Amino acid sequence: MGRSRVVVVAACSLLIAVACPGLARGADGPGPVCDHQPAGYESPPSGAVAVDPAVDGDLSAKTAANPAGTTFWLGPGTHTLGKDEYGQVVPKDGDVYLGAPGAVVDGRGVNRAAFTQQASKVEIRGLTIRGFAALQDQGVVNHDSGNGWLIENTTIEDNAGAGLMAGAGQVVRHSCLRDNGQYGLNAYQAGDAITGLVLEDNEITGNNTGDWETKVPGCGCSGGAKFWAVDGADIRGNWVHGNHGAGLWADTNNNDFLVEDNLFEANDAEALFYETSYNLVLRGNTFRRNTLVQGRAFAARGDNFPVATVYLSESGGDPRVHARTSAVDISGNTFEDNWAGITLWENADRFCNSPANTSTGYCTKAAAKSSCAAGTIEKAPAYDDCRWKTQRVEIHGNTFRFDAGRVGCQNSCGRMALLSNFGTFPDWSPYKGTVIEEAITFRQSNRWHDNSYSGPWTFVVHDTSQTVDAAGWRAKPYSQDECSSFGGGPAGC
């Protein structure tokens, strides 16, 4: 749109500064992290600077007074940053912040941000950070998107704006991003230079308490986590649930995402929204009861657009954009009682330089913006390169279970979709009429196969006016879901 179970292993119980991967994942997959953190650092490590919660602003002052690479130990209690809205901590390169059990950094609804500026390789472990009054699209932790930060065993909750921003090489592990006003995580950096982002074994829940899509209609500015122009992200083992909007939303020129072994549950809108972006592996995830709020809202107002649990909007594989895959590969996932399944959509009116492109100022990774204009866009290579294409999508080996009674819907649910719209805008567009409807449906290598379905699934294909049953979906001219099962049994020919 534009802008567990916890098994605390011995090494972690010793409270040494090591990574503790996999803590959130039990035998049944991702589970609780919020309120299930390992014990904090009960005493300051050798050489650490102790921070006194009884002294307002002590954390800020001691950070300023000590050299880069200092370790700070925050004692038990509530640490505050002064009564000024700009009270904040400005780390230096390599600074480390360790929380004792019960250590909280509280903005008290006054301070805008907790940890700011662009120091690199800052580490935050074992803290709770809450109560900050960040502005729209701004964040509380890593406010200025410094690179190489590690956020581990930390709870970031009940803040306005985004709980956490991201920089290149950032790792967020076994942390709780909960009930923040806009985003749990906003992965945006000026200059679009975020690479190598890792989100692992976190709980991302209840975010967008400010209901930003209602407050600013069309803003595209909410989600459990939002990603903008991130090149390379590994998102694994997280429990993404109960967010008031999309669970994960990748918006505009993201590339090379691996999303695996996560549990997406009861998010109001899409579990995963992948928009005007490239090259994705989505595998081994579980999706349960997502999109119910959004789906019911669409049905109540008579909007027949096929809302989805996984929504690909102008997104696909492109071998020219370097990544671990040159496709969108969706495999080995389980979908259970969501409002709908997967929608592959391409807006015929949205392309580089079109007024219908809500990612203002952005072009595709393949085209020169100057070529996407009347007089040149009609010719090769601009004709192909000026579009973000939903192409090279392969959906296979997935299980789709749907029970309309359990979901509680009467219409517009239990749908899979492959479609576009009739192009009309702008007047110099070379994509008017059914051009893109035909392309996405028949010529862009979008293929379902070897899936297992149970329940009354229907399929919206070509455009919103055409809905077919499983037999029609499998028959010519669509020829989808070869070797798939529609009786709940295993797939296979």
Side-chain angles (χ1 to χ4, degrees):
M1 293 288 295
R3 268 289 312 134
S4 117
R5 286 170 201 90
V6 180
V7 180
V8 181
V9 296
C12 295
S13 65
L14 291 175
L15 302 175
I16 60 177
V18 297
C20 304
L23 292 180
R25 278 180 268 187
D28 298 324
V33 173
C34 301
D35 303 318
H36 290 74
Q37 296 284 11
Y41 297 79
E42 294 185 354
S43 59
S46 178
V49 174
V51 181
D52 186 354
V55 179
D56 188 20
D58 197 39
L59 179 58
S60 303
K62 286 179 175 172
T63 297
N66 283 277
T70 298
T71 295
F72 301 90
W73 177 79
L74 283 70
T78 300
H79 297 255
T80 56
L81 304 181
K83 298 179 175 60
D84 186 276
E85 63 182 321
Y86 297 108
Q88 58 193 268
V89 182
V90 182
K92 300 179 178 74
D93 292 350
D95 281 352
V96 177
Y97 298 88
L98 306 177
V104 176
V105 181
D106 193 338
R108 298 178 290 182
V110 174
N111 313 122
R112 290 188 181 181
F115 295 88
T116 69
Q117 303 302 315
Q118 293 181 315
S120 64
K121 298 183 179 179
V122 174
E123 299 182 11
I124 300 174
R125 294 191 178 101
L127 287 173
T128 293
I129 302 165
R130 63 166 67 115
F132 286 83
L135 301 180
Q136 180 182 356
D137 298 329
Q138 296 186 23
V140 171
V141 177
N142 199 9
H143 174 274
D144 301 288
S145 303
N147 294 330
W149 286 42
L150 170 64
I151 314 296
E152 187 171 50
N153 298 332
T154 289
T155 295
I156 306 173
E157 63 183 1
D158 298 323
N159 302 285
L164 176 63
M165 300 294 288
Q170 180 159 302
V171 176
V172 186
R173 181 183 292 124
H174 200 259
S175 289
C176 168
L177 308 179
R178 173 169 64 182
D179 297 340
N180 295 289
Q182 190 177 359
Y183 308 104
L185 168 73
N186 184 12
Y188 168 77
Q189 186 184 66
D192 299 340
I194 297 179
T195 60
L197 179 63
V198 176
L199 303 182
E200 184 175 50
D201 296 339
N202 303 290
E203 184 174 355
I204 305 172
T205 182
N207 297 289
N208 187 32
T209 60
D211 192 15
W212 277 90
E213 306 299 328
T214 299
K215 187 182 298 185
V216 186
C219 70
C221 60
S222 65
K226 185 79 180 282
F227 309 86
W228 185 277
V230 173
D231 192 0
D234 288 3
I235 303 170
R236 66 173 74 91
N238 303 285
W239 187 20
V240 183
H241 67 105
N243 293 287
H244 306 294
L248 304 181
W249 188 345
D251 183 355
T252 305
N253 283 353
N254 297 279
N255 174 51
D256 194 19
F257 273 47
L258 171 63
V259 182
E260 66 176 351
D261 299 335
N262 303 282
L263 171 58
F264 295 87
E265 198 166 28
N267 296 287
D268 287 358
E270 302 87 352
L272 174 64
F273 188 174
Y274 208 66
E275 180 179 7
T276 54
S277 293
Y278 301 86
N279 301 325
L280 162 70
V281 176
L282 178 68
R283 68 187 179 204
N285 303 282
T286 298
F287 299 88
R288 294 191 190 124
R289 297 186 63 79
N290 295 284
T291 328
L292 303 188
V293 172
Q294 183 187 62
R296 288 168 181 151
F298 272 57
R301 66 175 182 253
D303 189 329
N304 68 345
F305 187 83
V307 297
T309 295
V310 173
Y311 181 25
L312 269 62
S313 178
E314 299 86 40
S315 292
D318 192 327
R320 297 171 298 176
V321 181
H322 178 72
R324 74 197 83 190
T325 180
S326 60
V328 171
D329 187 80
I330 302 175
S331 65
N333 303 286
T334 298
F335 293 75
E336 184 171 355
D337 289 337
N338 303 282
W339 184 265
I342 300 171
T343 289
L344 273 54
W345 160 258
E346 191 170 325
N347 184 343
D349 299 328
R350 184 179 188 182
F351 51 91
C352 179
N353 266 345
S354 168
N357 176 27
T358 52
S359 298
T360 305
Y362 278 79
C363 195
T364 68
K365 287 180 173 288
K369 190 175 180 183
S370 60
S371 70
C372 302
T376 54
I377 195 171
E378 304 90 349
K379 307 167 188 176
Y383 180 84
D384 288 318
D385 291 349
C386 291
R387 299 197 60 78
W388 288 272
K389 292 183 178 180
T390 303
Q391 64 179 2
R392 298 173 61 87
V393 180
E394 188 171 0
I395 301 167
H396 61 105
N398 303 284
T399 298
F400 299 102
R401 303 189 189 105
F402 175 72
D403 185 319
R406 285 202 295 264
V407 171
C409 68
Q410 297 179 344
N411 59 76
S412 302
C413 52
R415 298 189 292 177
M416 208 75 69
L418 173 65
L419 77 165
S420 181
N421 57 311
F422 191 88
T424 61
F425 179 79
D427 59 7
W428 49 272
S429 170
Y431 312 114
K432 291 181 180 179
T434 63
V435 170
I436 305 304
E437 292 172 339
E438 293 289 307
I440 189 174
T441 306
F442 300 117
R443 296 195 298 274
Q444 291 182 182
S445 300
N446 296 314
R447 183 172 176 241
W448 278 254
H449 65 92
D450 294 283
N451 299 295
S452 174
Y453 294 84
S454 61
W457 289 92
T458 57
F459 302 84
V460 183
V461 63
H462 192 274
D463 60 80
T464 56
S465 71
Q466 301 190 49
T467 299
V468 297
D469 60 12
W473 175 243
R474 301 181 78 179
K476 292 182 178 180
Y478 308 121
S479 303
Q480 291 289 355
D481 264 316
E482 181 182 8
C483 298
S484 293
S485 164
F486 287 84
C493 290

